[in-house]
Amino acid sequence: MTDPNAIQPSELDQLPDRDPEETAEWQASLDAVTKAAGPHRAAYLMRRTLERAEGNGIALPKLLETDYVNTIPTAAEPAVPGDEAMEARITAWNRWNAAAMVTRGSKYGVGGHIATFASAAWLYETGFNHFFKGKEADGSGDQLYIQGHASPGIYARAFLDGRLTEHHLDNFRRESGGSGLPSYPHPRRLPWLWEFPTVSMGLGPLSAIYQARFNRYLTNRSIKDVSASHVWAFLGDGEMDEPESTAALALAAREELDNLTFVINCNLQRLDGPVRANFKIVQELEAQFRGAGWNVIKTLWGSAWDELFQLDTTGALVRRLREVPDAQVQTYQTRDAAYIRQDFFGADPALAEMAKLLGDDKILELFHLSRGGHEARKVYAAYKAAVEFKGAPTVILAQTVKGHTLGEGFASKNANHQMKKLTVDEFKQMRDLLELPIQDSDFVDGVVPYGHPGADSPEVRYLQERRAALGGPAPARRTHAVAPLPAPAEKAFASFDKGSGSQNVATTMAFVRLVKDLVRDKETGKRWVPIVPDEARTFGMESLFPSLGIYSPKGQTYEPVDRDQLMYYKEAKNGQILNEGITEAGSMADFIAASTSYSTHGETMIPFYIFYSMFGWQRTADQMWQLGDQLGRGFLIGATAGRTTLTGEGLQHADGHSPVIAATNPAALTYDPAFAYEVAAIVKDGLRRMYGEAAPGEDPNVFYYLTVYNEPLPQPAKPSGLGIDEGIVKGLYRFNTAESAGLSPVANAPRIQLLGSGTAIHWALKAQKLLAEEWGVAADMWSATSWSELRRDALEADAALLRGEERVPYVRQALHGAEGPVLAVSDYMRQVPDQIAQWVEQDYSSLGADGFGLSDTRDAARRHFGVDAESIVVAALAQLARRGEVKATAVKEARERYGL
């Protein structure tokens, strides 16, 4: 049996000891200290020794946790420039108006959050007064990711500086009238104020990291020098439980993103209760960030604690603070001085003696009020240290009280996240605490008044002067007067019109070939941002490696194993490709940063993100919603698409539903092109709409989702005739008729309209031939490039009818006069083509690949789902039989002939 007290072997036992005697002396010294002064003193000495070693550049594992005290000692705190008393008055007004706005709105039942901003007010105000750069200097400024639940405080500040009115505040969360304020940071809803949507928790920190990384990308590629921009992400400690919150910490440290600061508001509460009831979230986060390579600054205690730490000559106070769990700290916040004396100080004789020197008021000040995140001096010291630190990103762990200044009914109560209002008496208590000049008579009919010192008051002038010195208002979003990008040469698109002849080409490869031509364009080529999550070779993109280079801030510090090959793996500091490794979430964050660069930095970029279609919308649809909110523009490419096209990969790779999810996003234009020339036409139109001259009524703030396939097939030439390009973009056009395809059956033959999208059109074309040659049925073939765009147009037509306007949906116009029933087929679940069913005048039915995918050959999978050519024939005959246009026996005969 192993002795638990025995010294266990370690990796050091594998290293030669050049001086065992000296080693033994060090160990004996440690044993002596432990015996004489106790384990706490020994641990203290060891930590100080390790800190000295780290400071001298000695390669040792870093300490992952430090004591539960402020990182920056009081003696090292710099003076806060400016007028601290003035800034306190400004903060008081903002606290008041944030609470008033939510309380006044509560009568409409629209909700709102008060407690978050109350805890974080100084975290924001210190930044606005001294650090956050606006956009009026270089057009970029700093990028601010505001914690979503703190939005009332940001609106309150915008009200104080004149950017919002009382009318705006009174319409918080009531937007339908046109002058309301959205609940949270929503750029699409308030595009002059908000830059980044953040309230879908976890996406803010992830996006902030990739935004900071994209800023370096722009600088290193000489697109624009944004090295002066700093990214600030304001987060909740509970939010850090989201996997996305910490998913890219190592990337930020690896790429030394010292242009990035996380400010985590550690009020120790999440939505229902304590973040770590039985543990300490600050210590956990410190270890996590330090382990990932971040610079960590803890701002935990306010100045009232300084005297207490001076009295702590034995270390008993620091030890007690380290061992008390977070939920108990919250309990102290709500209990009287006697309880705190007994429970906190009574746990150690040295602390009990210390408590004798403290009056009850002092104890209550310590545990009820004095937190580092509530004092401008402490916050300023942390921010200054963060922006001056080089070589790594910084996280500031700022301890606060949730509901601070809102009264005993709010502070640290488990339910305070859901508490939406204060009573009049609570407001009066708050007024007295904040020393605001608001009279009892100002509460008319029990309605809390907004407070404003006046447009020409010292407070407003000071606020505006500080913002002017820092480059203008913040937060702010700008849509710069950027000239439309010139259209690429027509040659790049027209080359696909002639088809591929006898060569089989997959539409995935067609898209890659198109991009290879577009990135060579002298005017716009450098603005393309190819993004791929470690599947470039799967998509045939390896040829882009040596020509464009893979972005790396370190360049290439090694000789690649394939250096002697034509398509070698080339990394470069000015590389154009963002190859993110196995992270769709990181790739989407890249895409969002690049797709909104036209606003953030006044530099239009054209991102395309290519991914396994199964792992796009299904995995990161929340980020795609964020993309729509942030008004991003670009191309999402779902490669290896379809449920039956990706042979052998099976259930978790076979995508039969991404267009369904995509159809739920109002900003997504979803296309399922069948042919290479369709891909080219859609990309060409996307470049025009998003980056060129959008037509009247067209919103350029959209993004395109194209599904492309890895099935090599002959690519036909583009049909001649009017309206083909229009039909491709609108979602439907007639590819051929039975007659033009040379498949004319007997006169007056039964006729059917086949609608196919993506790779399914090839099975439908085979079915068209079988119907004519074996069953005497004439089938016309239509390419449905976008079921969802057809539906969107039809919905708009329905809305127009409600307004009394006559408008016919495009799908009905296109199919007008087409004889016979309509049979639609795709490589997706039937819900995809069924999007248009209600607007088709003809009899309508569909085929699709419903259910889970499976591993097999393409032919076997299509037979399994009933979407192969023979299944299409049987379905077509069944439709015609129901109409009495073919004999019912033909259906049975076809089923038997094809082995269905």
Side-chain angles (χ1 to χ4, degrees):
M1 184 174 179
T2 304
D3 180 0
N5 297 317
I7 297 176
Q8 299 299 312
S10 74
E11 71 277 4
L12 294 178
D13 295 332
Q14 303 177 55
L15 304 176
D17 190 342
R18 295 187 302 176
D19 192 339
E21 185 176 346
E22 181 182 32
T23 303
E25 290 175 357
W26 277 76
Q27 292 171 336
S29 296
L30 179 63
D31 292 342
V33 170
T34 304
K35 184 176 181 180
H40 296 301
R41 177 62 180 169
Y44 176 86
L45 291 175
M46 288 301 298
R47 286 199 301 272
R48 291 295 177 262
T49 302
L50 286 172
E51 288 172 358
R52 175 61 63 89
E54 183 178 334
N56 289 337
I58 299 174
L60 285 173
K62 292 183 177 181
L63 286 170
L64 294 186
E65 288 186 39
T66 60
D67 287 324
Y68 203 66
V69 296
N70 294 348
T71 301
I72 302 172
T74 301
E77 292 172 2
V80 180
D83 187 333
E84 292 187 58
M86 180 68 73
E87 292 175 16
R89 291 204 298 275
I90 291 170
T91 303
W93 285 117
N94 291 339
R95 286 182 182 278
W96 177 272
N97 287 322
M101 174 173 54
V102 176
T103 297
R104 287 168 66 129
S106 67
K107 67 181 180 181
Y108 300 106
V110 294
H113 300 283
I114 304 177
T116 295
F117 178 73
S119 68
W122 277 112
L123 301 180
Y124 290 106
E125 292 299 321
T126 303
F128 285 129
N129 287 328
H130 301 286
F131 292 94
F132 304 157
K133 295 186 288 293
K135 295 181 175 296
E136 293 178 359
D138 64 0
S140 291
D142 287 354
Q143 286 80 58
L144 307 180
Y145 288 77
I146 304 295
Q147 191 178 1
H149 294 125
S151 63
I154 309 305
Y155 290 140
R157 191 170 222 273
F159 169 64
L160 202 64
D161 72 10
R163 292 197 291 166
L164 292 176
T165 66
E166 285 193 16
H167 178 72
H168 288 114
L169 300 193
D170 264 344
N171 284 281
F172 173 60
R173 291 194 169 200
R174 294 192 300 142
E175 299 178 73
S176 59
S179 60
L181 299 177
S183 52
Y184 303 124
H186 293 307
R188 187 170 283 274
R189 292 301 186 195
L190 200 61
W192 60 267
L193 181 72
W194 299 118
E195 272 197 292
F196 307 108
T198 53
V199 83
S200 187
M201 292 190 185
L203 299 191
L206 179 67
S207 295
I209 289 173
Y210 281 90
Q211 182 66 56
R213 196 278 195 94
F214 184 73
N215 290 358
R216 290 281 171 84
Y217 173 88
L218 285 180
T219 300
N220 288 336
R221 287 197 55 217
S222 300
I223 301 292
K224 181 180 181 181
D225 184 355
V226 295
S227 54
S229 290
H230 200 88
V231 178
W232 299 82
F234 288 84
L235 317 166
D237 46 1
E239 181 177 6
M240 301 312 293
D241 286 347
E242 288 285 4
E244 295 89 349
S245 294
T246 56
L249 298 186
L251 167 73
R254 184 169 64 245
E255 299 204 0
E256 300 178 354
L257 298 180
D258 50 26
N259 60 339
L260 169 68
T261 297
F262 276 15
V263 181
I264 302 182
N265 179 16
C266 297
N267 56 35
L268 312 185
Q269 287 184 251
R270 52 190 177 198
L271 309 190
D272 287 331
V275 178
R276 293 290 183 273
N278 297 296
F279 307 94
K280 301 192 80 63
I281 186 59
V282 168
Q283 300 300 93
E284 178 182 319
L285 291 174
E286 178 184 26
Q288 192 170 15
F289 278 87
R290 282 188 184 276
W294 286 53
N295 175 43
V296 179
I297 299 174
K298 294 197 290 192
T299 302
L300 307 180
W301 307 110
S303 55
W305 285 82
D306 293 345
E307 177 186 351
L308 209 60
F309 286 123
Q310 291 296 319
L311 296 173
D312 185 28
T313 57
T314 66
L317 176 62
V318 173
R319 289 196 300 273
R320 182 66 177 141
L321 288 173
R322 185 182 180 91
E323 70 188 19
V324 175
D326 284 352
Q328 190 64 18
V329 173
Q330 299 297 84
T331 298
Y332 294 151
Q333 178 69 37
T334 63
R335 303 300 292 269
D336 59 21
Y339 178 89
I340 298 171
R341 282 183 187 278
Q342 178 180 351
D343 192 87
F344 182 82
F345 291 99
D348 186 290
L351 292 180
E353 288 299 313
M354 184 185 298
K356 293 177 181 179
L357 304 175
L358 306 175
D360 286 354
D361 289 346
K362 181 66 174 181
I363 287 178
L364 292 178
E365 180 186 11
L366 290 168
F367 286 89
H368 286 195
L369 300 173
S370 187
R371 299 293 187 273
H374 295 323
E375 295 188 14
R377 184 175 294 270
K378 304 291 185 183
V379 176
Y380 181 87
Y383 286 8
K384 189 172 188 293
V387 297
E388 291 177 353
F389 189 87
K390 301 302 177 187
T394 294
V395 59
I396 296 170
L397 304 174
Q399 187 161 274
T400 66
V401 174
K402 193 167 186 177
H404 183 59
T405 73
L406 298 181
E408 294 181 359
F410 265 81
S412 292
K413 294 297 177 67
N414 282 340
N416 64 17
H417 189 78
Q418 281 73 34
M419 296 164 70
K420 313 300 181 187
K421 59 183 178 180
L422 278 70
T423 66
V424 169
D425 286 342
E426 288 171 331
F427 266 110
K428 290 179 180 179
Q429 293 170 12
M430 182 182 178
R431 171 201 62 190
D432 296 341
L433 175 66
L434 298 176
E435 299 180 348
L436 291 171
I438 295 173
Q439 306 303 315
D440 285 355
S441 59
D442 294 333
F443 292 82
V444 180
D445 297 327
V447 177
V448 57
Y450 293 119
H452 199 294
D456 195 40
S457 64
E459 291 93 336
V460 172
R461 288 201 306 271
Y462 182 90
L463 182 155
Q464 293 174 342
E465 287 168 2
R466 292 305 309 141
R467 289 312 315 157
L470 287 165
R477 180 181 179 275
R478 296 286 186 267
T479 300
H480 301 264
V482 178
L485 294 182
E490 181 64 26
K491 179 182 177 181
F493 306 102
S495 63
F496 293 90
D497 291 352
K498 61 184 179 182
S500 64
S502 60
Q503 182 184 12
N504 288 340
V505 177
T507 49
T508 297
M509 183 52 64
F511 175 79
V512 173
R513 288 183 183 179
L514 175 62
V515 168
K516 285 176 66 176
D517 289 339
L518 293 175
V519 296
R520 295 191 188 105
D521 186 85
K522 292 182 180 180
E523 296 289 336
T524 60
K526 69 177 183 178
R527 297 193 175 275
W528 283 86
V529 183
I531 303 167
V532 60
D534 201 36
E535 289 278 9
R537 297 183 191 277
T538 301
F539 309 137
M541 292 174 58
E542 64 268 29
S543 61
L544 298 177
F545 289 169
S547 58
L548 300 184
I550 299 167
Y551 173 73
S552 169
K554 298 288 187 182
Q556 193 156 37
T557 61
Y558 61 93
E559 183 176 355
V561 67
D562 54 1
R563 182 65 181 85
D564 58 343
Q565 297 179 16
L566 181 63
M567 292 184 287
Y568 69 97
Y569 196 81
K570 177 187 175 183
E571 295 189 80
K573 190 172 182 178
N574 64 346
Q576 195 163 348
I577 301 170
L578 293 173
N579 190 317
E580 288 307 340
I582 305 174
T583 167
E584 287 81 11
S587 299
M588 266 306 300
D590 262 336
F591 186 86
I592 292 169
S595 70
T596 54
S597 180
Y598 73 92
S599 172
T600 307
H601 295 300
E603 292 290 344
T604 301
M605 305 301 286
I606 312 172
F608 80 86
Y609 163 34
I610 187 167
F611 50 88
Y612 257 85
S613 65
M614 183 68 162
F615 306 139
W617 286 87
Q618 176 168 298
R619 189 180 292 254
T620 58
D622 194 11
Q623 287 177 283
M624 287 149 176
W625 197 262
Q626 175 192 4
L627 168 66
D629 191 349
Q630 203 166 319
L631 289 79
R633 306 169 184 173
F635 296 95
L636 298 176
I637 310 299
T640 59
R643 182 145 281 164
T644 71
T645 308
L646 190 58
T647 56
E649 293 288 345
L651 185 150
Q652 284 195 295
H653 284 66
D655 173 25
H657 52 279
S658 68
V660 177
I661 307 174
T664 66
N665 191 310
L669 278 60
T670 303
Y671 287 91
D672 187 26
F675 306 124
Y677 67 80
E678 293 178 350
V679 173
I682 294 164
V683 171
K684 178 182 177 181
D685 187 71
L687 291 172
R688 174 200 62 78
R689 176 170 178 172
M690 295 185 292
Y691 302 104
E693 297 286 355
E698 277 187 328
D699 182 5
N701 299 313
V702 295
F703 58 94
Y704 283 62
Y705 174 51
L706 280 70
T707 49
V708 292
Y709 300 81
N710 71 329
E711 185 173 11
L713 291 165
Q715 295 296 325
K718 184 177 179 180
S720 58
L722 297 174
I724 297 296
D725 284 344
E726 179 188 26
I728 291 172
V729 172
K730 287 191 171 183
L732 183 68
Y733 69 97
R734 183 153 47 194
F735 176 72
N736 67 24
T737 63
E739 291 75 17
S740 65
L743 299 172
S744 301
V746 297
N748 299 319
R751 187 173 291 270
I752 191 169
Q753 308 298 317
L754 299 179
L755 276 59
S757 69
T759 195
I761 204 168
H762 295 279
W763 329 324
L765 286 168
K766 181 180 177 182
Q768 181 190 37
K769 186 176 182 181
L770 290 174
L771 283 166
E773 295 178 350
E774 299 186 12
W775 305 98
V777 172
D780 298 336
M781 189 70 242
W782 298 74
S783 179
T785 54
S786 180
W787 308 101
S788 62
E789 283 304 291
L790 292 173
R791 176 179 176 81
R792 182 171 289 162
D793 171 81
L795 289 172
E796 291 172 357
D798 285 356
L801 284 174
L802 288 176
R803 298 190 300 267
E805 304 170 16
E806 288 295 330
R807 181 177 161 189
V808 180
Y810 174 78
V811 63
R812 188 170 296 167
Q813 295 178 44
L815 290 171
H816 180 69
E819 299 178 35
V822 169
L823 175 60
V825 60
S826 81
D827 203 14
Y828 298 95
M829 56 196 300
R830 288 175 62 179
Q831 188 174 339
V832 175
D834 284 352
Q835 291 179 85
I836 66 170
Q838 73 184 83
W839 294 281
V840 175
E841 292 179 330
Q842 294 88 343
D843 292 341
Y844 186 91
S845 64
S846 64
L847 295 175
D850 286 75
F852 288 115
L854 76 166
S855 301
D856 214 316
T857 64
R858 290 182 178 122
D859 289 343
R862 286 162 189 165
R863 175 56 58 93
H864 169 81
F865 286 109
V867 294
D868 61 348
E870 292 77 9
S871 299
I872 295 172
V873 170
V874 172
L877 292 174
Q879 253 187 306
L880 292 168
R882 284 193 295 271
R883 295 162 58 94
E885 296 179 19
V886 300
K887 295 179 179 179
T889 55
V891 181
K892 181 175 182 295
E893 181 184 349
R895 195 180 299 120
E896 293 173 351
R897 180 183 303 182
Y898 300 134
L900 297 179

